[in-house]
Amino acid sequence: MRTVKPAAGHKQAMRLVRRLGIARPRDARAHGLAGDALWLLERRGLLERRGRGLYALADHEYTEHHSLAEAAKRVPHGIICLLSALRAHTLTTQAPHEVWIAIDRKARLPKSGAAKLRVVRFSGKALSEGIERQLIEGVTVPVYNVAKTVADCFKYRNKIGLDVALEALREAWRGKRCTSRELWKYAEICRVANVMRPYLESMS
């Protein structure tokens, strides 16, 4: 692949970062730029380093969900889940100190950066079903949908607390964020239908 000359590449690199929101050296190389293009722009004060190999514009406008965008760039095949997904869907007022992210059981454990990661390993439909995508700071972030997130909370109730799972279910139901059919679907996928049954039936 032809590499863009440094002088000509600076503007192209800036456009790339502006479009992606958060960029990595591999993004620059994929667009024909030098591998150190982002680092050089950081040295000039035009970019800001956001952890190992992550760069954003120096005047980047950060949101409350910035850590999710950063985690999505750091772990391209991960999906935001559990407490972090609840936060993304505004189903909780809690702000977890770690980003909960699901990866395949056989995937390599990602390295944590500025956004600390809490990795959970899923497999089969529990990993691949119920994914939606949110645009956060220009980054496309995969997040489990509301019904899948509620089911996941029941599945991992021993880790996050049954009270959190029940709160998520109540808020999702009151806000009409999902249907009972969707909740049953993901309860079966996550193998927590028997656990969730009495709570689902009480709402019907």
Side-chain angles (χ1 to χ4, degrees):
M1 179 183 294
R2 183 178 63 86
T3 301
V4 177
K5 294 181 179 180
H10 287 169
K11 290 184 179 180
Q12 187 175 335
M14 290 293 290
R15 286 196 297 269
L16 177 66
V17 178
R18 187 172 288 108
R19 179 166 59 84
L20 296 181
I22 300 174
R24 306 188 70 176
R26 69 178 64 174
D27 298 321
R29 289 192 292 270
H31 287 79
L33 297 165
D36 62 353
L38 304 183
W39 176 78
L40 290 172
L41 289 173
E42 183 218 352
R43 291 288 300 272
R44 295 176 59 186
L46 298 174
L47 297 182
E48 183 180 75
R49 188 169 179 266
R50 294 295 305 171
R52 184 179 179 183
L54 296 177
Y55 297 87
L57 296 175
D59 60 353
H60 182 83
E61 294 185 11
Y62 296 98
T63 68
E64 62 177 314
H65 297 311
H66 173 76
S67 60
L68 304 186
E70 184 178 322
K73 292 297 292 188
R74 186 172 297 281
V75 191
H77 301 297
I79 305 99
I80 303 301
C81 65
L82 294 163
L83 298 183
S84 295
L86 289 180
R87 182 69 173 171
H89 292 301
T90 63
L91 289 175
T92 181
T93 56
Q94 299 181 36
H97 298 296
E98 303 166 303
V99 176
W100 290 70
I101 191 164
I103 63 173
D104 188 88
R105 290 190 182 280
K106 297 180 180 180
R108 179 181 299 178
L109 192 67
K111 294 181 180 179
S112 185
K116 295 182 179 179
L117 305 178
R118 183 69 178 270
V119 177
V120 185
R121 293 186 181 275
F122 289 3
S123 62
K125 288 186 176 181
L127 176 70
S128 62
E129 293 286 323
I131 301 172
E132 63 180 38
R133 287 168 173 78
Q134 296 186 11
L135 189 64
I136 301 175
E137 300 179 19
V139 178
T140 300
V141 180
V143 184
Y144 285 117
N145 65 31
V146 170
K148 173 64 161 55
T149 297
V150 170
D152 284 337
C153 286
F154 275 92
K155 183 173 183 178
Y156 286 86
R157 61 194 181 280
N158 292 334
K159 286 184 178 291
I160 66 173
L162 180 59
D163 58 328
V164 174
L166 291 173
E167 179 188 22
L169 177 59
R170 286 194 298 267
E171 291 300 315
W173 188 253
R174 288 173 184 169
K176 298 181 179 180
R177 304 289 299 279
C178 58
T179 65
S180 59
R181 183 175 182 178
E182 290 171 328
L183 288 167
W184 278 115
K185 172 185 174 180
Y186 293 110
E188 291 176 352
I189 287 175
C190 295
R191 300 180 181 179
V192 288
N194 289 336
V195 175
M196 293 180 63
R197 186 180 304 278
Y199 305 108
L200 292 173
E201 290 179 344
S202 69
M203 297 187 307
S204 302

